[in-house]
Amino acid sequence: MRWCAVKAFISKELKLNFRSKANLFWIFAWPAIWLLMTAFIFIPPSSGQPLTLNLGVVNHDASLSPVNGTFFIKILNETTYQGTKLFDVIIYEDESALIDAIKHGRLDGGVVIPEKFGEDILIGQTNLTVYVGVKDEYSAQLVESILKAFINELNEEISRRKINETMEYVELYAPRNLTIPYAGNRSFLEFMRSWMLGIASPINATFKQVKPSVLMDRESTLGWFTFGALGMSMLYSGLSLGSTMIVEERDKGTLRRILASPASPTDMLVGKTISGIIILGIMSVVLVLMGVYVCGAKIIWNPLNPAHWLAILLLILLAVMMIGLGLLLSLFARDAKTAANLSVIIGLLLSFTAGIWFPAWWLPNWMRIIGELFPGSWALETIRSILIYEAKLAEALPSVLKVLTATAAIYALGIVIYRLVLRKYVES
């Protein structure tokens, strides 16, 4: 292998690719467009913030009870979550006007407070009619879950207050020294309080969200999708670089001249592979910088962390793997245009079905198998594990070795196909 010939192929391929508007679009512009759409359309700056519902209320309650319809509306207006108002309350005179506003999409939902609402709460149970707007199935579920959570929280608070008031009366007449054997010899008063709390709320559940520290906000989610855009471009651009390696030279009429020169087929293979790695490496840097500085993505990088350098190695292995797969595709390509189109189609299909762009858990079970079997998914998932989930060196090494083995096998098979296709073109 002659390194001067290899460098000549690297220089030629870089110049040709950066002069081609079509190549520049697919390598840089297309993934950048996807990333920008994700940052400002699919995951807009307002995402991750609590939702404020437009809620209509019809109040039929005129009782003087402390917890009446007016008090209920006051609670709705003052309820906040993470500093955001949950309800923007609009008062309606009658139920038909409320329903009409919901049907026409002016409201997300509505509440009808019945007569004697406050009185019934004090002496027993009251009824409340809640309407949920169904603009689409997702929004309906979201609105209903917010309203149910609010009503459940209000129910528990009212129950606790009623229990406390009831216990004040019970304490006046209950025997002081009476204990309940089957309740652990607790006093009668302790037993009564626990018993009533158990009726009001048998299970007192505390919900705690546990997320990786870097996935708690929009910026970190955008970091995840930045690598998705990077992986997408790696797929179809790498496949295209590999699949057109020989056929492009044949279509241009330069293949025989190259083979007749001192440069060997190995020089061409190595030169084009290295130029492909350089192009995909530049693309990766551009996308990461765009993700961080244009879209506001959060990506963890510490040059003192050895595991983070494994992410760089994995990106190189992913580029080599895709070029190797492209060499396999060259067996079925009659010309450069066919090879490029086939690469883009297969690359985009894999992007959306192998957990590259969409998280694997979004996909149906049968489709997840593709991601589990596709080595490119292993590489990208390991990169995310390192730079997003903060995986340690010991955790990442087994996956890196698996990706390294798969890359070596794919590229070796690609070399066999490369020599086979080259021989076919020379003999034809």
Side-chain angles (χ1 to χ4, degrees), residues 249-312:
E249 299 294 347
R250 189 202 64 174
D251 290 352
K252 291 178 180 178
T254 55
L255 182 60
R256 291 188 181 276
R257 278 184 286 170
I258 289 172
L259 296 178
S261 71
S264 68
T266 301
D267 296 334
M268 184 168 73
L269 174 65
V270 174
K272 285 176 175 282
T273 298
I274 293 175
S275 68
I277 294 171
I278 293 171
I279 291 169
L280 295 176
I282 295 172
M283 177 273 297
S284 300
V285 172
V286 169
L287 280 179
V288 169
L289 291 176
M290 176 176 286
V292 173
Y293 294 107
V294 178
C295 303
K298 186 191 294 180
I299 295 173
I300 297 174
W301 169 255
N302 181 5
L304 300 179
N305 188 337
H308 290 186
W309 287 102
L310 285 180
I312 304 297

Side-chain angles (χ1 to χ4, degrees), residues 349 352-354 360 362-373:
L349 284 174
F352 292 111
T353 59
W362 285 16
L363 306 173
N365 289 332
W366 65 267
M367 198 176 287
R368 294 179 196 176
I369 298 172
I370 300 173
E372 292 171 0
L373 298 177

Side-chain angles (χ1 to χ4, degrees), residues 118-148:
E119 295 176 11
D120 291 341
I121 281 181
L122 285 179
I123 62 173
Q125 187 181 59
T126 187
N127 296 314
L128 200 65
T129 303
V130 180
Y131 292 100
V132 177
V134 186
K135 297 175 184 176
D136 56 72
E137 289 300 323
Y138 173 76
S139 66
Q141 291 176 21
L142 186 61
V143 170
E144 186 169 349
S145 66
I146 292 174
L147 289 171
K148 279 185 176 179

Side-chain angles (χ1 to χ4, degrees), residues 3-18 267-279:
W3 279 108
C4 59
V6 170
K7 287 190 288 184
F9 278 112
I10 294 173
S11 176
K12 178 179 83 73
E13 290 301 314
L14 291 176
K15 288 178 182 177
L16 289 175
N17 276 284
F18 282 103
D267 296 334
M268 184 168 73
L269 174 65
V270 174
K272 285 176 175 282
T273 298
I274 293 175
S275 68
I277 294 171
I278 293 171
I279 291 169

Side-chain angles (χ1 to χ4, degrees), residues 198-242:
I199 293 174
S201 181
I203 299 175
N204 186 22
T206 301
F207 293 88
K208 298 180 180 180
Q209 292 187 348
V210 179
K211 299 179 181 178
S213 58
V214 294
L215 283 182
M216 294 180 68
D217 50 28
R218 173 179 176 270
E219 290 75 16
S220 301
T221 304
L222 285 173
W224 195 97
F225 278 100
T226 297
F227 287 111
L230 186 152
M232 177 189 291
S233 188
M234 279 277 188
L235 255 67
Y236 57 72
S237 297
L239 290 174
S240 181
L241 289 168

Side-chain angles (χ1 to χ4, degrees), residues 377-413:
S377 299
W378 308 343
L380 200 62
E381 198 57 39
T382 308
I383 293 170
R384 285 168 169 157
S385 296
I386 295 170
L387 299 183
I388 295 180
Y389 296 102
E390 302 183 69
K392 305 299 181 185
L393 184 66
E395 296 175 87
L397 269 177
S399 297
V400 174
L401 292 174
K402 189 168 75 166
V403 172
L404 179 61
T405 303
T407 301
I410 290 170
Y411 193 74
L413 186 58

